[in-house]
Amino acid sequence: MKNIHSFDPEVAEALELELTRQRNGLEMIPSENFVSEAVLEALGSVSTNKYAEGYPGKRYYGGCQYIDIVEQLAIDRAKEIFGAEHVNVQPLSGAPANIAAYEALLNQGDTILGMDLSHGGHLTHGHPVTQSSKIYNFIRYKTNEEGKLDLDNLRAMALEHNPKLILIGYSAYSREIDFERVQEIADEIGAMTMADIAHIAGLIAAGEMNNPVPIFDVVTTTTHKTLRGPRGGMIMCKKKHAKAVDRAVFPGLQGGPHENVIAAKAIAFKEAMQPEFKEYARQIKANAKVLELELGSRGFKLMFGGTDNHLLLIDVTSKGVTGHEAETALDKAGITVNKNMIPDDPRKPLDPSGIRLGTPALTTRGMKEAEMKQIADWIDRAIISHDDDGKLGEIKAEVEEMTKDFPLYPNLSYIE
Ligand code: DSN
């Protein structure tokens, strides 16, 4: 890493500060994780130099013979992990993967039944601020009064609106999903099915959550959340959609694939096939369960009644703070979470009623049940003392002390 510092100390020093922030704090944003050193190495490899528009064996550029090996490895491993008939590893991230999937399956004006953002859905699932919402007719369903995905209601809405696509899979919903039942509903009205498993892909890969890939028409994911790979996306689908999906990604939406990221995806997929990854996914869930119990018993209002996966969505207004105040206080205490809307939130997105937090990154560092109990206590103390910088500083010092027992990238430095 010497080269970065000697050529560009300004960037190197900022990177070093970010490394220190990651090392000294508790990363609890549920969509973040810490990749392995092998994944980092692939991201910085010579494959970043190569243009490779097209697909393995069918490229629009010369010299792709070695890049083809890398991309084919990523495809084959993803197929094996998820039981997919066809895989496209080129989407640059989750949003482009979703847009490509719509493009592959639908025509302008077609109806999509997708989850409301504040109930745990995602911006790209039809939020009015997105371009997709201007192209397709999104009808948005919600969780029910108990805070659960209500498949009877989904069926009633499907019968009423006759969507061409039913879209399942969320970024703040914390419960298991019955994909088979959703497919039955879709079959009843002749709709196609799409799941966005960005958040839970790692849990599915490890067999810790239901897998929609063998059931649904199309499944999209990111590769950097629980799957613990590089920032990127992927589309898995039935063979009958393979051509349409590939065409939608390239040339429909993207140009040259980022082959350094694809190399890193291949490595992350190999990691996800190891027995240790199954144990990792089991521990992610066990850790989230401890936070559910500990925070619940301290009077935090848990949306959706708790968690079956890696995350919790919490209404913090019951603790006398807004989501923004809670996020800021926790930041000062060395605990990183994100403010988040709760179902039908009366507040605004930049200062909503909730926070969202999760365990994938902490679990990568090796933290277990005992640490989760301690962290729940710190979260509670930080929220109670949200306007007392002295007390928040004391918690931050305790957090920093604990993180020393869980080293992160111990040999990495951008300034030496
Ligand atoms: N930004 C991601 C998340 O935090 O869940 C979703 O795109």
Side-chain angles (χ1 to χ4, degrees):
M1 293 298 161
K2 200 171 174 129
N3 290 343
I4 299 183
H5 192 234
S6 54
F7 177 69
D8 193 339
E10 287 159 292
V11 168
E13 277 154 30
L15 289 176
E16 189 70 13
L17 287 170
E18 173 58 15
L19 175 60
T20 306
R21 187 194 70 79
Q22 292 187 14
R23 278 183 180 144
N24 293 354
L26 295 172
E27 182 50 72
M28 298 191 75
I29 293 173
S31 45
E32 294 191 13
N33 213 329
F34 301 116
V35 299
S36 68
E37 279 158 0
V39 168
L40 275 186
E41 196 181 339
L43 285 169
S45 67
V46 291
S47 48
T48 195
N49 299 332
K50 190 70 198 99
Y51 254 120
E53 278 154 324
Y55 292 99
K58 264 202 269 174
R59 305 282 191 182
Y60 291 85
Y61 287 79
C64 288
Q65 60 271 41
Y66 306 119
I67 287 305
D68 277 3
I69 296 173
V70 170
E71 189 165 333
Q72 195 60 50
L73 278 169
I75 292 168
D76 292 344
R77 289 174 184 168
K79 277 184 171 174
E80 190 178 334
I81 292 170
F82 293 97
E85 290 180 12
H86 179 76
V87 173
N88 186 310
V89 292
Q90 295 190 3
L92 300 177
S93 207
N98 285 347
I99 294 165
Y102 302 149
E103 169 71 13
L105 299 178
L106 303 170
N107 294 310
Q108 199 169 346
D110 281 346
T111 298
I112 306 175
L113 200 51
M115 171 87 97
D116 188 275
L117 177 66
S118 77
H119 286 248
H122 188 255
L123 272 176
T124 56
H125 297 185
H127 194 282
V129 298
T130 59
Q131 192 193 25
S132 304
S133 74
K134 297 175 180 85
I135 299 174
Y136 309 107
N137 172 38
F138 280 91
I139 306 285
R140 293 189 297 151
Y141 58 91
K142 298 182 170 186
T143 53
N144 63 17
E145 276 172 14
E146 289 105 64
K148 297 281 168 62
L149 175 58
D150 181 346
L151 294 183
D152 290 333
N153 176 53
L154 185 78
R155 178 174 177 270
M157 288 183 74
L159 292 173
E160 182 187 345
H161 297 285
N162 201 25
K164 197 158 171 202
L165 182 68
I166 297 181
L167 174 54
I168 297 284
Y170 316 108
S171 60
Y173 186 66
S174 51
R175 292 304 195 180
E176 183 55 283
I177 302 163
D178 183 350
F179 295 108
E180 278 177 13
R181 173 91 204 284
V182 175
Q183 185 62 50
E184 279 166 23
I185 294 168
D187 288 343
E188 214 180 317
I189 58 161
M192 289 180 286
T193 43
M194 171 173 159
D196 174 347
I197 59 167
H199 264 262
I200 55 174
L203 301 176
I204 292 172
E208 288 290 322
M209 289 199 84
N210 293 338
N211 181 7
V213 177
I215 307 168
F216 272 30
D217 284 285
V218 172
V219 176
T220 59
T221 187
T222 52
T223 50
H224 50 272
K225 298 186 174 99
T226 50
L227 200 47
R228 208 167 55 184
R231 305 197 75 80
M234 173 163 81
I235 304 178
M236 298 172 271
C237 65
K238 296 281 182 221
K239 248 199 188 98
K240 63 182 175 192
H241 301 301
K243 263 198 183 145
V245 163
D246 285 352
R247 274 197 203 129
V249 174
F250 172 81
L253 277 159
Q254 295 183 184
H258 295 184
E259 293 294 346
N260 57 326
V261 180
I262 290 174
K265 285 175 187 173
I267 291 168
F269 297 159
K270 184 164 182 174
E271 289 172 358
M273 293 160 107
Q274 308 307 312
E276 305 87 89
F277 194 84
K278 181 155 181 55
E279 176 50 27
Y280 166 62
R282 193 203 60 73
Q283 189 69 51
I284 287 177
K285 285 175 62 181
N287 284 350
K289 232 23 195 182
V290 174
L291 289 177
E292 173 194 304
L293 291 173
E294 295 289 324
L295 292 171
S297 70
R298 286 171 172 82
F300 282 88
K301 188 171 170 198
L302 310 177
M303 308 315 297
F304 316 124
T307 184
D308 297 323
N309 59 22
H310 61 300
L311 68 82
L312 285 165
L313 181 62
I314 303 172
D315 177 357
V316 286
T317 58
S318 58
K319 286 284 200 174
V321 291
T322 66
H324 174 69
E325 285 167 343
E327 182 194 276
T328 307
L330 289 166
D331 239 346
K332 289 181 183 170
I335 301 170
T336 313
V337 305
N338 69 276
K339 54 184 168 292
N340 212 97
M341 302 284 272
I342 60 167
D344 295 326
D345 203 325
R347 301 185 60 83
K348 296 268 182 287
L350 275 175
D351 194 7
S353 301
I355 56 171
R356 187 187 63 154
L357 52 84
T359 56
L362 298 184
T363 309
T364 293
R365 291 191 77 165
M367 296 181 193
K368 297 203 164 85
E369 286 83 348
E371 286 76 33
M372 296 305 124
K373 285 187 184 168
Q374 174 62 73
I375 291 166
D377 192 53
W378 281 329
I379 291 174
D380 192 31
R381 277 169 53 199
I383 301 283
I384 291 168
S385 314
H386 67 277
D387 48 8
D388 183 337
D389 282 3
K391 289 221 166 77
L392 295 173
E394 282 168 27
I395 299 170
K396 189 178 167 69
E398 291 173 42
V399 164
E400 239 179 88
E401 198 49 39
M402 193 248 258
T403 59
K404 288 185 189 146
D405 295 334
F406 300 92
L408 184 64
Y409 306 122
N411 302 317
L412 188 58
S413 171
Y414 297 99
I415 58 170
E416 279 159 21

